[in-house]
Amino acid sequence: MAANTSGRAWQRMLSGRRLDLLDPTPVDIEIEDIAHGLAFVARWNGQTRGDWPYSVAEHSLLVEQAFGRISPHPQPQWRLAALLHDAPEYVLGDMISPVKSALGQEYGEMDARVALAVHRRFGLPAKLPSAVRRQIKQADQVSAWLEATEIAGFSESEARGIFKRPDPDHCAGLVIRLRPPAEARRAYLVRFEELLAQM
């Protein structure tokens, strides 16, 4: 007889932590779980060119780099916030925008609860300054444009109708990386440790 799991709202992490999705706490957040999960979650539902899926970990690294170009004074804690901007996806997965819209408010609230626990765990404010939030959003748009036009099959004319075209100066030199999940996980952890050490 199968166990009744209808009331379960938590997930067991490889670290041994048990993360309650409805009431996540900072003590159940581990960076190793985040890095591992994000390295195995594919952006664009896996519909990207290349021999490896383009992971949320790679996307997060790119957003943090773009944020460093956009922000006039990129302090380490705000760069860390940029790196962690999609951290809830390590447990919620990456939903493309049309699906997020269809799921509505409940998904957004769950994402916000996990994000808050992540921020508290790593010493970031519950609510980022509005200027920092805007710059991270702008960096996210830089990444989305590059991903769409370079690996997700969008022509530039099609992308212009869906995504905000970024300032070319914010894109220059940024590279989309496709690599095995273990390498993406390691790169994410290394960058996290570098930023934490600077804080």
Side-chain angles (χ1 to χ4, degrees):
M1 183 179 220
N4 180 9
T5 59
S6 61
R8 181 167 73 88
W10 54 267
Q11 179 172 337
R12 174 73 63 198
M13 299 295 159
L14 289 178
S15 65
R17 297 290 188 185
R18 193 168 85 168
L19 185 70
D20 184 335
L21 299 177
L22 300 180
D23 187 24
T25 63
V27 296
D28 291 321
I29 304 288
E30 297 291 348
I31 192 60
E32 291 80 8
D33 292 331
I34 293 173
H36 181 83
L38 296 185
F40 281 87
V41 173
R43 292 266 295 166
W44 305 92
N45 285 336
Q47 297 300 307
T48 51
R49 298 186 185 101
D51 293 333
W52 298 102
Y54 184 69
S55 72
V56 178
E58 295 288 8
H59 163 77
S60 299
L61 288 161
L62 188 63
V63 168
E64 189 264 324
Q65 288 180 354
F67 174 79
R69 292 166 179 228
I70 292 165
S71 174
H73 305 290
Q75 297 175 37
Q77 76 250 35
W78 307 141
R79 292 191 82 130
L80 181 61
L83 183 69
L84 294 169
H85 81 285
D86 276 341
E89 294 181 7
Y90 88 104
V91 68
L92 300 179
D94 180 45
M95 305 278 180
I96 60 173
S97 296
V99 175
K100 284 181 182 175
S101 296
L103 291 175
Q105 185 177 343
E106 289 183 9
Y107 176 86
E109 289 172 355
M110 191 177 296
D111 182 273
R113 284 193 293 269
V114 176
L116 177 60
V118 168
H119 278 211
R120 287 183 172 156
R121 172 69 176 87
F122 300 118
L124 295 170
K127 189 172 182 181
L128 297 175
S130 57
V132 173
R133 279 200 321 272
R134 273 195 313 275
Q135 290 161 350
I136 291 174
K137 180 67 177 172
Q138 196 177 352
D140 202 19
Q141 291 168 342
V142 167
S143 182
W145 173 270
L146 292 174
E147 293 165 21
T149 57
E150 292 184 17
I151 59 171
F154 288 77
S155 67
E156 284 212 15
S157 60
E158 184 183 20
R160 277 196 294 272
I162 302 170
F163 306 100
K164 184 174 181 180
R165 187 182 179 115
D167 182 332
D169 288 343
H170 297 157
C171 299
L174 293 178
V175 177
I176 300 267
R177 299 198 63 170
L178 297 162
R179 50 188 163 179
E183 292 181 22
R185 178 181 61 207
R186 187 163 48 251
Y188 189 94
L189 286 170
V190 165
R191 188 59 183 147
F192 172 85
E193 294 295 344
E194 288 171 351
L195 293 170
L196 207 61
Q198 293 170 24
M199 285 171 61

